[in-house]
Amino acid sequence: MWERFTEQARKVVADAHDIAAKFGSDYVRTEHLLLALCREPDSIAVGALRKVEVDAEALARDIEQQTPQGSAAIPSIETQFTPRAKMVLEGAIEEAVRLRHSSTGTEHILLAIVTSAEGITAEYTKKLGIQPERLRAAIIGLLLDRGDGAEPPTSATPAYGIRYSSSAVEVLNTGLREARRLLHKKVEPGHILLGII
């Protein structure tokens, strides 16, 4: 399963193990995953939280204060995930597939936590008013801002000695924007049709 995760997402999971040990927990819980996410300031997950006006540092402090201390005296390298934490990680993979991403990142783990219906993390996200669709839109916006390397055509771009008219350029640019908005890797005829419409 872990080969589907980005390096940063794997680091978050490893950090969640460390956090569970710090709190004397025999299990990695969803709050440990959320706390580990909040401690990755350069991640898309934290960027998306900023976009929906959530202070990740303040959220991390709140989680630390509210997380109960367990009784495990010696942290185990075999610390297991709770069923809900497992569901979140599986849900993260599903979120990546839903968004047509080739790998599962911190943003997908965050989405899976926010869409979780139960548990302490669900209470946190509801209290903060984080709506899954708004968060998903923020994530897509951040990914679009990073770009996919595609260059839009210009009126000076020749094709067999023929130049594009300004309206054709606008149609192609709109098609490219639609492909990026939908996080598709190629501009297909359907995207160009949307540009024409």
Side-chain angles (χ1 to χ4, degrees):
M1 176 172 95
W2 300 116
E3 68 277 1
R4 293 172 178 253
F5 286 73
T6 64
E7 186 177 337
Q8 193 171 41
R10 287 196 297 268
K11 180 182 181 300
V12 162
V13 173
D15 289 349
H17 272 274
D18 293 342
I19 290 165
K22 175 190 164 189
F23 282 98
S25 175
D26 289 325
Y27 292 93
V28 177
R29 303 176 185 280
T30 55
E31 58 267 32
H32 303 141
L33 287 168
L34 183 55
L35 182 52
L37 281 171
C38 289
R39 290 179 174 173
E40 284 293 312
D42 298 326
S43 67
I44 294 173
V46 170
L49 285 173
R50 282 192 210 105
K51 285 261 189 190
V52 297
E53 300 174 354
V54 172
D55 183 337
E57 289 181 11
L59 177 56
R61 285 193 300 272
D62 194 26
I63 295 168
E64 285 178 333
Q65 289 169 2
Q66 301 297 323
T67 301
Q69 187 72 33
S71 58
I74 302 170
S76 168
I77 58 170
E78 297 297 324
T79 304
Q80 300 295 308
F81 295 98
T82 62
R84 191 167 288 128
K86 280 183 188 173
M87 281 177 31
V88 161
L89 294 172
E90 288 163 3
I93 294 170
E94 290 168 13
E95 287 290 347
V97 169
R98 188 175 294 119
L99 290 171
R100 299 185 184 203
H101 296 167
S102 57
S103 55
T104 303
T106 60
E107 63 275 23
H108 305 113
I109 298 172
L110 179 61
L111 270 173
I113 287 171
V114 169
T115 55
S116 174
E118 300 174 348
I120 293 172
T121 51
E123 290 173 19
Y124 281 123
T125 56
K126 283 173 188 168
K127 185 172 77 172
L128 292 166
I130 303 174
Q131 298 169 346
E133 288 312 313
R134 192 169 166 228
L135 183 67
R136 191 173 280 110
I139 288 167
I140 290 170
L142 284 169
L143 292 170
L144 286 174
D145 288 346
R146 289 181 1 169
D148 60 6
E151 291 298 322
T154 67
S155 58
T157 307
Y160 302 104
I162 300 172
R163 293 181 180 272
Y164 295 104
S165 70
S166 59
S167 57
V169 169
E170 183 54 36
V171 164
L172 293 172
N173 279 327
T174 302
L176 178 59
R177 283 194 298 271
E178 285 298 319
R180 284 180 170 167
R181 183 179 67 80
L182 296 167
L183 300 177
H184 295 166
K185 298 292 182 188
K186 298 180 195 172
V187 177
E188 302 284 355
H191 302 127
I192 295 172
L193 179 60
L194 285 170
I196 292 169
I197 292 170

